[in-house]
RNA sequence: GGCGGUAUCGUCUAGGGGACUAGGACGGAGCCCUCUCAAGGCUCAAACACGGGUUCGAAUCCCGUUACCGCUACCA
């Protein structure tokens, strides 16, 4: 920590080897919230030193995921691979200062040593044999072009730090082996690259998953050997699946893009993610991004892994759906509607007021925007399917149902005014006239209009549909019933 | 195996020595509202892993045990 008063600099450092995972998104979110609250800087670094696994597509997926969530980063994106020269310089510096040494052991030899240790039921730790090589022997091998890796010589003692979420964590150095920092091909290993980059980027707080706890003592040693004070560390808990294991594809969707496709709002996703491992205290749950920025605190970070519960995510989404305005929701629903082929852009533009009203009608009882798409279909001209269960339940007696629908069609066709009140009055009167409960009219009518047994209030449905479409839906239903 | 981490309702969590008969939320059960479904309101079931300390007093502090998780690569 160079200057405790300087604004913090934090980073999110994913490796581009897949999609943006919800766990990664959550780590990014915490860093982002911290930076935004403190007036600090949030940086993005792509850890692409593993050429074999890194792809441009995954890098794009990470950008798109973060953008969708609204987690904008400051400054230029850093690509770790571009720091190669500096990584090598740092490794050489450590070699020169004697903090590191060359190791000529081949992977095969190492493998053999591991096997032997396993046979003895010992835990393997590199025995430093190459550190014992005489200087002229080392020179001879280097001159002969023998490949070598660079290993960091872990000093005696203990490495400890005050973690922002765990308090003090300490490792006896004897348990840390002399780890490799530079491969025989001259490329850096993770721990070196991370420390070199974090120093270079001026990172003051490293907030990351707690699966990095055991890397931390190695990194602290590197900071010191490189002549730098280590930053603060905050190790946040993992996110697990419902079975308590690390969240993976087996648990269903783990990519934030999957939730985007399923119609989760970014605000809800971020809100839900924030609550996995963080609590503002009290009973606060549904929050906007702004509220979270204001409330965020390292003190509220949880130590325990959280289990990803999609049920609660959906509930959260429902909450955000009901708080958001039709206007705010419009762009997201529009693209979903277009994708589903339910409406055309022209249709939505030409009846904009009506469209906004429809959104208000639907969003109350939807949990995702995909729910809304499903519920929106009947309000557009395309044909609808009659849900078999709804038919079974509400149109049990086909002839009678058909009769009711015809009566309704005639009744509302001649209505002088087309308002919720006039429609309700007319339909209730019809029920009375036929000597049946109002529900006996409303329910079959709902199936006729929407094909479903679930919809907004029936009069609102009629209004939103308008006389023309409603008549068409009724005729279709009557035709369906008479044909059967 | 070694090392490290964690442990409050099924799940997310509040709690930071007395206010705890352990609070809220999701999910579950039920009731109310009601043309259906949501939303909303109300009610119920549901937890301090175990064992020792420390203390007048422990969910809260300490130590063990157990369970779970992570790391243990020339991956990140």
């Amino acid at each position: 920590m160079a200057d405790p008063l300087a604004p913090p600099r934090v980073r999110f450092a994913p490796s581009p080897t897949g999609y943006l995972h919800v766990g990664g998104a959550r780590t990014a979110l915490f860093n982002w919230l911290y930076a935004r609250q403190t007036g600090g800087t949030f940086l993005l670094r792509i850890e692409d030193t593993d050429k074999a696994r890194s792809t441009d597509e995954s890098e794009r997926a990470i950008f798109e995921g973060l953008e969708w969530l609204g987690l904008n980063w400051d400054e230029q994106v850093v690509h770790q691979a571009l720091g190669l020269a500096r990584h090598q310089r740092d490794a050489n510096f450590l070699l020169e200062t004697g903090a590191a040494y060359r190791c000529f052991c081949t992977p095969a030899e190492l493998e053999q040593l591991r096997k032997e240790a396993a046979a003895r039921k010992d835990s393997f730790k590199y025995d430093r044999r190459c550190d014992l090589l005489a200087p002229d022997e080392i020179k001879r091998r280097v001159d002969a072009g023998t490949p070598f890796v660079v290993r960091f010589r872990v000093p005696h003692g203990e490495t400890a730090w005050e973690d922002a979420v765990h308090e003090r964590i300490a490792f006896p150095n004897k348990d840390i082996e002399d780890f490799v920092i530079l491969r025989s091909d001259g490329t850096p290993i993770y721990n070196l690259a991370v420390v070199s980059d974090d120093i270079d980027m001026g990172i003051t707080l490293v907030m990351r998953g707690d699966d990095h706890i055991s890397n931390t003592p190695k990194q602290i040693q590197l900071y010191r050997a490189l002549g730098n004070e280590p930053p603060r560390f905050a190790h946040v808990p993992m996110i697990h699946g419902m079975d308590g294991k690390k969240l993976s594809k087996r648990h269903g969707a783990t990519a934030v893009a999957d939730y985007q496709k399923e119609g989760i709002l970014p605000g809800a996703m971020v809100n839900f993610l924030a609550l996995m491992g963080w609590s503002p205290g009290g009973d606060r749950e549904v929050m906007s991004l702004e509220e979270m920025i204001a409330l965020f605190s390292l003190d509220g970070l949880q130590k325990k892994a959280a289990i990803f519960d999609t049920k609660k995510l959906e509930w959260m989404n429902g909450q955000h759906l009901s708080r958001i305005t039709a206007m705010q929701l419009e762009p997201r629903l529009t693209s979903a509607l277009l994708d589903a082929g339910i409406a055309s852009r022209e249709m939505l533009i030409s009846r904009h007021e009506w469209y906004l009203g429809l959104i208000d009608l639907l969003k109350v009882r939807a949990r995702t925007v995909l729910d809304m798409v499903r519920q929106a279909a009947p309000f557009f001209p395309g044909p609808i399917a009659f849900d078999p269960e709804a038919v079974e339940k509400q149109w049990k007696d086909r002839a009678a149902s058909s009769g009711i629908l015809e009566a309704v069609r005639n009744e509302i066709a001649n209505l002088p005014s087309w308002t919720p009140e006039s429609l309700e009055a007319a339909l209730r009167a019809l029920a009375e006239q036929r000597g049946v409960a109002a529900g006996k009219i409303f329910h079959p009518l709902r199936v006729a209009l929407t094909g479903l047994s679930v919809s907004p209030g029936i009069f609102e449905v009629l209004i939103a549909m308008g006389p023309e479409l409603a008549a068409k839906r009724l005729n279709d239903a009557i035709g369906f019933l008479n044909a059967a």
Side-chain angles (χ1 to χ4, degrees):
Chain A
M1 283 167 278
D3 177 2
L5 296 178
R9 289 172 69 83
V10 296
R11 48 48 166 202
F12 173 53
S15 47
T17 54
Y19 44 81
L20 179 62
H21 188 272
V22 293
R26 206 259 334 239
T27 301
L29 170 63
F30 285 166
N31 276 286
W32 184 88
L33 287 172
Y34 184 76
R36 292 295 169 261
Q37 184 194 59
T38 57
T41 306
F42 173 65
L43 302 170
L44 179 58
R45 180 172 73 227
I46 301 295
E47 307 217 320
D48 52 357
T49 49
D50 185 344
K51 282 280 176 282
R53 293 196 297 155
S54 302
T55 67
D56 290 346
E57 297 92 275
S58 350
E59 191 175 316
R60 253 197 319 277
I62 290 165
F63 294 158
E64 283 166 9
L66 291 175
E67 278 161 7
W68 177 66
L69 290 169
L71 308 182
N72 55 320
W73 55 91
D74 305 313
E75 303 181 8
Q76 228 17 245
V77 173
V78 175
H79 284 85
Q80 188 159 63
L82 265 28
L84 179 65
R86 173 169 32 76
H87 300 148
Q88 291 172 334
R89 211 158 48 235
D90 285 343
N92 283 328
F93 174 79
L94 295 176
L95 223 36
E96 282 159 21
T97 59
Y101 58 92
R102 293 180 181 82
C103 171
F104 301 91
C105 297
T106 64
E109 284 173 309
L110 259 13
E111 189 47 43
Q112 184 59 30
L113 291 174
R114 273 192 199 96
K115 273 213 189 90
E116 286 167 19
R120 289 194 310 272
K121 293 201 147 193
D122 273 352
S123 62
F124 174 76
K125 194 181 146 199
Y126 183 63
D127 61 7
R128 286 190 169 166
R129 55 181 59 184
C130 289
D131 197 19
L132 273 22
L133 259 25
D136 55 333
E137 172 63 14
I138 295 173
K139 185 174 182 331
R140 193 186 66 73
R141 294 195 191 187
V142 172
D143 290 345
T146 312
F148 61 86
V149 300
V150 177
R151 279 186 192 271
F152 183 79
R153 188 187 299 102
V154 178
H156 294 294
E158 182 190 66
T159 306
W161 74 97
E162 202 59 40
D163 196 273
V165 350
H166 293 271
E167 300 178 326
R168 188 181 139 92
I169 301 179
F171 285 77
N173 290 2
K174 66 171 175 56
D175 292 327
I176 310 169
E177 77 170 347
D178 287 353
F179 53 97
V180 175
I181 56 176
L182 204 68
R183 294 187 188 89
S184 49
D185 68 358
T187 58
I189 289 293
Y190 174 70
N191 283 309
L192 202 227
V194 165
V195 170
S196 182
D197 289 356
D198 282 340
I199 291 172
D200 190 56
M201 293 162 75
I203 300 302
T204 60
L205 168 69
V206 171
M207 184 160 23
R208 71 222 312 189
D210 67 13
D211 50 340
H212 285 288
I213 286 179
S214 34
N215 282 319
T216 308
K218 297 176 183 175
Q219 295 176 7
I220 289 175
Q221 288 299 336
L222 285 174
Y223 274 101
R224 298 209 176 116
L226 253 11
N228 286 78
E229 252 329 284
R232 287 179 81 196
F233 290 96
H235 287 96
V236 303
M238 307 267 80
I239 295 180
H240 289 165
M242 268 304 194
D243 56 1
K245 299 265 164 46
K246 197 166 172 172
L247 193 64
S248 71
K249 281 118 290 179
R250 289 181 299 108
H251 300 102
T254 56
V256 323
D258 293 332
Y259 292 97
Q260 178 179 8
K261 282 193 206 80
E262 283 176 22
I264 298 294
L265 299 171
M269 191 73 205
V270 156
N271 191 168
F272 177 72
L273 249 19
L275 259 19
M276 311 236 79
W278 173 70
S279 165
D283 295 330
R284 290 300 290 272
E285 294 228 278
V286 182
M287 292 171 279
S288 67
L289 221 42
E290 291 66 34
E291 290 173 309
M292 285 186 269
I293 291 171
L295 258 20
F296 188 75
S297 156
L298 260 25
D299 298 335
L301 254 20
Q302 192 78 15
K303 296 187 180 78
K304 188 180 64 163
I307 290 174
F308 195 88
D309 181 1
T310 49
K311 280 282 200 310
K312 188 151 184 175
L313 205 212
E314 283 170 18
W315 166 79
M316 182 66 81
N317 203 55
Q319 293 297 311
H320 281 260
L321 231 28
S322 62
R323 281 166 175 71
I324 207 173
T325 65
M327 206 80 113
Q328 292 170 302
L329 191 52
E330 186 189 348
R332 296 190 198 281
L333 182 65
T334 299
S335 68
L337 244 25
L338 263 30
D339 286 349
I342 285 172
S344 69
R345 195 175 288 281
E346 297 68 45
M347 215 180 275
L348 300 177
I349 292 172
S350 65
R351 307 178 64 193
H352 194 239
E353 282 306 310
W354 168 82
Y355 180 39
L356 290 178
L358 181 65
I359 293 177
D360 275 325
L361 207 55
L362 299 180
K363 76 188 181 75
V364 200
R365 71 209 80 228
R367 288 210 149 182
T368 67
V369 337
L370 244 40
D371 280 346
M372 292 184 66
V373 168
R374 279 188 286 273
Q375 293 171 20
F379 297 92
F380 292 92
I384 55 166
F386 299 112
D387 172 47
E389 271 182 47
V391 169
E392 174 59 27
K393 190 157 192 294
Q394 304 301 346
W395 290 351
K396 211 166 185 59
D397 183 333
R398 299 200 162 213
S401 301
S402 174
I404 286 172
L405 295 180
E406 280 183 46
V408 169
R409 181 185 56 188
N410 298 338
E411 188 68 29
I412 62 179
N414 303 319
L415 231 44
S417 73
W418 189 263
T419 66
E421 294 73 25
S422 64
L423 286 162
E424 177 160 13
L427 293 180
R428 285 196 188 279
L430 180 65
E432 196 150 340
Q433 180 189 318
R434 304 190 117 224
V436 297
K440 289 286 183 210
I441 297 215
F442 299 161
H443 297 313
L445 174 58
R446 167 169 291 111
V447 178
L449 295 176
T450 66
L452 305 168
S453 53
V454 170
S455 84
I458 197 69
F459 312 112
E460 293 176 298
V461 169
L462 282 165
I463 297 290
M465 229 167 238
E468 218 170 288
L469 220 207
K472 175 185 177 332
R473 294 261 182 260
L474 278 164
N475 284 332
D476 288 351
I478 291 163
F480 173 90
L481 284 166
N482 293 342

